Amino acid sequence: MTSIADAAQQFLSHRRIAVTGVSRNPEGHGSNAVYVRLRERGFQPFAINPNAESVEGDPAYPSLAAVPGGVEAVVIGTSPQHAMATVEEAAALGITDIWMHRSFGAGSVDEPAAAWGRAKGMTVIAGGCPLMFGDASDGGHRFMCSVMKLTGKVPREV
């Protein structure tokens, strides 16, 4: 097993990161917050939304495969029932780093999809948020991370 800190560092070492579930209506969507923060912090995020041409002022793509030049990692921010399809597409494209976003509630975590990805050799972080770690973090997210580790919403190991 890998510590969450090491897995997060590996994930955030990538610059081209797809974020699924980014909405045209950003209010209350964690994916939008992740997308915007990654962009602000110098990452090159790609919004994945099959029902939008643009989000947050940037082009949106219907799938991971549609991103010109591909991506290196994926944040899943959709409902859990869409996670397996995203993990399968990522595997088919050779993407090995996946983060299933979860703050409060179930978030985007789908344990069968996480297990499937791990069985294929992928690193799947099932819970928490990339904004809690490294260059993408801020004080509020780091505090939430500490609390959420106690409740199991952020895994201690991946």
PDB file of all heavy atoms in Angstrom, residues 67-92:
ATOM      1  N   VAL A  67      -9.754  14.540 -25.692  1.00  0.00           N
ATOM      2  CA  VAL A  67      -8.840  15.623 -25.310  1.00  0.00           C
ATOM      3  C   VAL A  67      -7.623  15.594 -26.232  1.00  0.00           C
ATOM      4  O   VAL A  67      -6.895  14.590 -26.265  1.00  0.00           O
ATOM      5  CB  VAL A  67      -8.399  15.495 -23.837  1.00  0.00           C
ATOM      6  CG1 VAL A  67      -7.378  16.573 -23.492  1.00  0.00           C
ATOM      7  CG2 VAL A  67      -9.601  15.573 -22.905  1.00  0.00           C
ATOM      8  N   PRO A  68      -7.372  16.667 -26.979  1.00  0.00           N
ATOM      9  CA  PRO A  68      -6.204  16.699 -27.867  1.00  0.00           C
ATOM     10  C   PRO A  68      -4.911  16.531 -27.073  1.00  0.00           C
ATOM     11  O   PRO A  68      -4.688  17.207 -26.079  1.00  0.00           O
ATOM     12  CB  PRO A  68      -6.261  18.099 -28.490  1.00  0.00           C
ATOM     13  CG  PRO A  68      -7.660  18.577 -28.279  1.00  0.00           C
ATOM     14  CD  PRO A  68      -8.146  17.903 -27.027  1.00  0.00           C
ATOM     15  N   GLY A  69      -4.097  15.596 -27.465  1.00  0.00           N
ATOM     16  CA  GLY A  69      -2.836  15.351 -26.772  1.00  0.00           C
ATOM     17  C   GLY A  69      -2.959  14.474 -25.541  1.00  0.00           C
ATOM     18  O   GLY A  69      -1.962  14.161 -24.913  1.00  0.00           O
ATOM     19  N   GLY A  70      -4.173  14.103 -25.182  1.00  0.00           N
ATOM     20  CA  GLY A  70      -4.402  13.212 -24.051  1.00  0.00           C
ATOM     21  C   GLY A  70      -4.166  13.860 -22.701  1.00  0.00           C
ATOM     22  O   GLY A  70      -3.807  15.033 -22.602  1.00  0.00           O
ATOM     23  N   VAL A  71      -4.410  13.087 -21.666  1.00  0.00           N
ATOM     24  CA  VAL A  71      -4.200  13.537 -20.294  1.00  0.00           C
ATOM     25  C   VAL A  71      -3.373  12.486 -19.546  1.00  0.00           C
ATOM     26  O   VAL A  71      -3.253  11.354 -19.984  1.00  0.00           O
ATOM     27  CB  VAL A  71      -5.531  13.801 -19.547  1.00  0.00           C
ATOM     28  CG1 VAL A  71      -6.322  14.902 -20.232  1.00  0.00           C
ATOM     29  CG2 VAL A  71      -6.363  12.542 -19.412  1.00  0.00           C
ATOM     30  N   GLU A  72      -2.820  12.903 -18.412  1.00  0.00           N
ATOM     31  CA  GLU A  72      -1.968  12.022 -17.615  1.00  0.00           C
ATOM     32  C   GLU A  72      -2.681  11.452 -16.391  1.00  0.00           C
ATOM     33  O   GLU A  72      -2.245  10.444 -15.842  1.00  0.00           O
ATOM     34  CB  GLU A  72      -0.741  12.804 -17.146  1.00  0.00           C
ATOM     35  CG  GLU A  72       0.066  13.374 -18.302  1.00  0.00           C
ATOM     36  CD  GLU A  72       1.052  14.420 -17.834  1.00  0.00           C
ATOM     37  OE1 GLU A  72       0.623  15.438 -17.254  1.00  0.00           O
ATOM     38  OE2 GLU A  72       2.261  14.194 -18.041  1.00  0.00           O
ATOM     39  N   ALA A  73      -3.741  12.129 -15.949  1.00  0.00           N
ATOM     40  CA  ALA A  73      -4.448  11.719 -14.738  1.00  0.00           C
ATOM     41  C   ALA A  73      -5.885  12.208 -14.835  1.00  0.00           C
ATOM     42  O   ALA A  73      -6.192  13.099 -15.631  1.00  0.00           O
ATOM     43  CB  ALA A  73      -3.768  12.296 -13.498  1.00  0.00           C
ATOM     44  N   VAL A  74      -6.761  11.608 -14.002  1.00  0.00           N
ATOM     45  CA  VAL A  74      -8.183  11.936 -14.060  1.00  0.00           C
ATOM     46  C   VAL A  74      -8.743  12.115 -12.660  1.00  0.00           C
ATOM     47  O   VAL A  74      -8.550  11.256 -11.792  1.00  0.00           O
ATOM     48  CB  VAL A  74      -8.990  10.819 -14.758  1.00  0.00           C
ATOM     49  CG1 VAL A  74     -10.475  11.170 -14.821  1.00  0.00           C
ATOM     50  CG2 VAL A  74      -8.450  10.529 -16.141  1.00  0.00           C
ATOM     51  N   VAL A  75      -9.452  13.221 -12.448  1.00  0.00           N
ATOM     52  CA  VAL A  75     -10.268  13.411 -11.254  1.00  0.00           C
ATOM     53  C   VAL A  75     -11.696  13.062 -11.652  1.00  0.00           C
ATOM     54  O   VAL A  75     -12.255  13.670 -12.573  1.00  0.00           O
ATOM     55  CB  VAL A  75     -10.236  14.870 -10.741  1.00  0.00           C
ATOM     56  CG1 VAL A  75     -11.188  15.041  -9.547  1.00  0.00           C
ATOM     57  CG2 VAL A  75      -8.830  15.292 -10.377  1.00  0.00           C
ATOM     58  N   ILE A  76     -12.277  12.079 -10.981  1.00  0.00           N
ATOM     59  CA  ILE A  76     -13.673  11.721 -11.235  1.00  0.00           C
ATOM     60  C   ILE A  76     -14.536  12.528 -10.285  1.00  0.00           C
ATOM     61  O   ILE A  76     -14.413  12.408  -9.066  1.00  0.00           O
ATOM     62  CB  ILE A  76     -13.906  10.205 -11.055  1.00  0.00           C
ATOM     63  CG1 ILE A  76     -13.057   9.426 -12.068  1.00  0.00           C
ATOM     64  CG2 ILE A  76     -15.395   9.877 -11.204  1.00  0.00           C
ATOM     65  CD1 ILE A  76     -13.152   7.917 -11.933  1.00  0.00           C
ATOM     66  N   GLY A  77     -15.395  13.358 -10.864  1.00  0.00           N
ATOM     67  CA  GLY A  77     -16.272  14.212 -10.075  1.00  0.00           C
ATOM     68  C   GLY A  77     -17.736  14.014 -10.424  1.00  0.00           C
ATOM     69  O   GLY A  77     -18.565  14.840 -10.072  1.00  0.00           O
ATOM     70  N   THR A  78     -18.036  12.934 -11.104  1.00  0.00           N
ATOM     71  CA  THR A  78     -19.422  12.609 -11.457  1.00  0.00           C
ATOM     72  C   THR A  78     -20.039  11.770 -10.340  1.00  0.00           C
ATOM     73  O   THR A  78     -19.369  11.429  -9.365  1.00  0.00           O
ATOM     74  CB  THR A  78     -19.459  11.802 -12.768  1.00  0.00           C
ATOM     75  OG1 THR A  78     -18.632  10.643 -12.598  1.00  0.00           O
ATOM     76  CG2 THR A  78     -18.970  12.627 -13.949  1.00  0.00           C
ATOM     77  N   SER A  79     -21.279  11.378 -10.501  1.00  0.00           N
ATOM     78  CA  SER A  79     -21.891  10.485  -9.530  1.00  0.00           C
ATOM     79  C   SER A  79     -21.210   9.116  -9.619  1.00  0.00           C
ATOM     80  O   SER A  79     -20.652   8.758 -10.665  1.00  0.00           O
ATOM     81  CB  SER A  79     -23.393  10.370  -9.772  1.00  0.00           C
ATOM     82  OG  SER A  79     -23.643   9.899 -11.071  1.00  0.00           O
ATOM     83  N   PRO A  80     -21.221   8.344  -8.529  1.00  0.00           N
ATOM     84  CA  PRO A  80     -20.495   7.078  -8.493  1.00  0.00           C
ATOM     85  C   PRO A  80     -20.871   6.098  -9.614  1.00  0.00           C
ATOM     86  O   PRO A  80     -20.017   5.345 -10.069  1.00  0.00           O
ATOM     87  CB  PRO A  80     -20.855   6.494  -7.124  1.00  0.00           C
ATOM     88  CG  PRO A  80     -21.247   7.656  -6.297  1.00  0.00           C
ATOM     89  CD  PRO A  80     -21.857   8.646  -7.244  1.00  0.00           C
ATOM     90  N   GLN A  81     -22.100   6.137 -10.077  1.00  0.00           N
ATOM     91  CA  GLN A  81     -22.496   5.163 -11.107  1.00  0.00           C
ATOM     92  C   GLN A  81     -21.787   5.391 -12.446  1.00  0.00           C
ATOM     93  O   GLN A  81     -21.814   4.518 -13.299  1.00  0.00           O
ATOM     94  CB  GLN A  81     -24.016   5.099 -11.301  1.00  0.00           C
ATOM     95  CG  GLN A  81     -24.651   6.359 -11.786  1.00  0.00           C
ATOM     96  CD  GLN A  81     -25.289   7.167 -10.676  1.00  0.00           C
ATOM     97  OE1 GLN A  81     -24.831   7.152  -9.544  1.00  0.00           O
ATOM     98  NE2 GLN A  81     -26.332   7.893 -10.997  1.00  0.00           N
ATOM     99  N   HIS A  82     -21.129   6.522 -12.614  1.00  0.00           N
ATOM    100  CA  HIS A  82     -20.372   6.780 -13.848  1.00  0.00           C
ATOM    101  C   HIS A  82     -18.881   6.471 -13.692  1.00  0.00           C
ATOM    102  O   HIS A  82     -18.133   6.528 -14.670  1.00  0.00           O
ATOM    103  CB  HIS A  82     -20.547   8.237 -14.278  1.00  0.00           C
ATOM    104  CG  HIS A  82     -21.955   8.610 -14.590  1.00  0.00           C
ATOM    105  ND1 HIS A  82     -22.631   8.135 -15.677  1.00  0.00           N
ATOM    106  CD2 HIS A  82     -22.827   9.402 -13.914  1.00  0.00           C
ATOM    107  CE1 HIS A  82     -23.858   8.614 -15.680  1.00  0.00           C
ATOM    108  NE2 HIS A  82     -24.001   9.379 -14.614  1.00  0.00           N
ATOM    109  N   ALA A  83     -18.454   6.165 -12.477  1.00  0.00           N
ATOM    110  CA  ALA A  83     -17.026   5.983 -12.218  1.00  0.00           C
ATOM    111  C   ALA A  83     -16.428   4.808 -12.990  1.00  0.00           C
ATOM    112  O   ALA A  83     -15.331   4.917 -13.536  1.00  0.00           O
ATOM    113  CB  ALA A  83     -16.769   5.819 -10.719  1.00  0.00           C
ATOM    114  N   MET A  84     -17.132   3.683 -13.043  1.00  0.00           N
ATOM    115  CA  MET A  84     -16.571   2.495 -13.710  1.00  0.00           C
ATOM    116  C   MET A  84     -16.269   2.791 -15.174  1.00  0.00           C
ATOM    117  O   MET A  84     -15.191   2.440 -15.672  1.00  0.00           O
ATOM    118  CB  MET A  84     -17.513   1.298 -13.595  1.00  0.00           C
ATOM    119  CG  MET A  84     -16.955   0.037 -14.233  1.00  0.00           C
ATOM    120  SD  MET A  84     -15.417  -0.583 -13.511  1.00  0.00           S
ATOM    121  CE  MET A  84     -16.091  -1.555 -12.187  1.00  0.00           C
ATOM    122  N   ALA A  85     -17.193   3.440 -15.867  1.00  0.00           N
ATOM    123  CA  ALA A  85     -16.964   3.748 -17.281  1.00  0.00           C
ATOM    124  C   ALA A  85     -15.737   4.644 -17.447  1.00  0.00           C
ATOM    125  O   ALA A  85     -14.956   4.472 -18.381  1.00  0.00           O
ATOM    126  CB  ALA A  85     -18.198   4.399 -17.896  1.00  0.00           C
ATOM    127  N   THR A  86     -15.557   5.581 -16.528  1.00  0.00           N
ATOM    128  CA  THR A  86     -14.400   6.473 -16.610  1.00  0.00           C
ATOM    129  C   THR A  86     -13.106   5.712 -16.339  1.00  0.00           C
ATOM    130  O   THR A  86     -12.108   5.892 -17.050  1.00  0.00           O
ATOM    131  CB  THR A  86     -14.545   7.642 -15.624  1.00  0.00           C
ATOM    132  OG1 THR A  86     -15.749   8.348 -15.925  1.00  0.00           O
ATOM    133  CG2 THR A  86     -13.367   8.591 -15.709  1.00  0.00           C
ATOM    134  N   VAL A  87     -13.105   4.844 -15.335  1.00  0.00           N
ATOM    135  CA  VAL A  87     -11.913   4.055 -15.026  1.00  0.00           C
ATOM    136  C   VAL A  87     -11.584   3.132 -16.202  1.00  0.00           C
ATOM    137  O   VAL A  87     -10.415   2.998 -16.586  1.00  0.00           O
ATOM    138  CB  VAL A  87     -12.090   3.275 -13.709  1.00  0.00           C
ATOM    139  CG1 VAL A  87     -10.911   2.344 -13.455  1.00  0.00           C
ATOM    140  CG2 VAL A  87     -12.261   4.236 -12.539  1.00  0.00           C
ATOM    141  N   GLU A  88     -12.582   2.523 -16.792  1.00  0.00           N
ATOM    142  CA  GLU A  88     -12.348   1.652 -17.949  1.00  0.00           C
ATOM    143  C   GLU A  88     -11.786   2.432 -19.132  1.00  0.00           C
ATOM    144  O   GLU A  88     -10.853   1.966 -19.799  1.00  0.00           O
ATOM    145  CB  GLU A  88     -13.641   0.947 -18.352  1.00  0.00           C
ATOM    146  CG  GLU A  88     -14.085  -0.105 -17.365  1.00  0.00           C
ATOM    147  CD  GLU A  88     -15.452  -0.689 -17.657  1.00  0.00           C
ATOM    148  OE1 GLU A  88     -16.245  -0.092 -18.417  1.00  0.00           O
ATOM    149  OE2 GLU A  88     -15.743  -1.770 -17.119  1.00  0.00           O
ATOM    150  N   GLU A  89     -12.331   3.628 -19.390  1.00  0.00           N
ATOM    151  CA  GLU A  89     -11.805   4.436 -20.490  1.00  0.00           C
ATOM    152  C   GLU A  89     -10.361   4.848 -20.198  1.00  0.00           C
ATOM    153  O   GLU A  89      -9.501   4.793 -21.081  1.00  0.00           O
ATOM    154  CB  GLU A  89     -12.668   5.676 -20.734  1.00  0.00           C
ATOM    155  CG  GLU A  89     -12.151   6.494 -21.900  1.00  0.00           C
ATOM    156  CD  GLU A  89     -12.894   7.797 -22.166  1.00  0.00           C
ATOM    157  OE1 GLU A  89     -13.691   8.246 -21.322  1.00  0.00           O
ATOM    158  OE2 GLU A  89     -12.650   8.380 -23.248  1.00  0.00           O
ATOM    159  N   ALA A  90     -10.094   5.254 -18.967  1.00  0.00           N
ATOM    160  CA  ALA A  90      -8.728   5.639 -18.597  1.00  0.00           C
ATOM    161  C   ALA A  90      -7.765   4.476 -18.817  1.00  0.00           C
ATOM    162  O   ALA A  90      -6.685   4.649 -19.383  1.00  0.00           O
ATOM    163  CB  ALA A  90      -8.690   6.113 -17.147  1.00  0.00           C
ATOM    164  N   ALA A  91      -8.163   3.287 -18.395  1.00  0.00           N
ATOM    165  CA  ALA A  91      -7.304   2.106 -18.576  1.00  0.00           C
ATOM    166  C   ALA A  91      -7.038   1.854 -20.050  1.00  0.00           C
ATOM    167  O   ALA A  91      -5.901   1.579 -20.436  1.00  0.00           O
ATOM    168  CB  ALA A  91      -7.956   0.879 -17.925  1.00  0.00           C
ATOM    169  N   ALA A  92      -8.063   1.980 -20.860  1.00  0.00           N
ATOM    170  CA  ALA A  92      -7.899   1.750 -22.300  1.00  0.00           C
ATOM    171  C   ALA A  92      -6.945   2.768 -22.923  1.00  0.00           C
ATOM    172  O   ALA A  92      -6.278   2.467 -23.922  1.00  0.00           O
ATOM    173  CB  ALA A  92      -9.259   1.801 -22.996  1.00  0.00           C
TER     174      ALA A  92
END
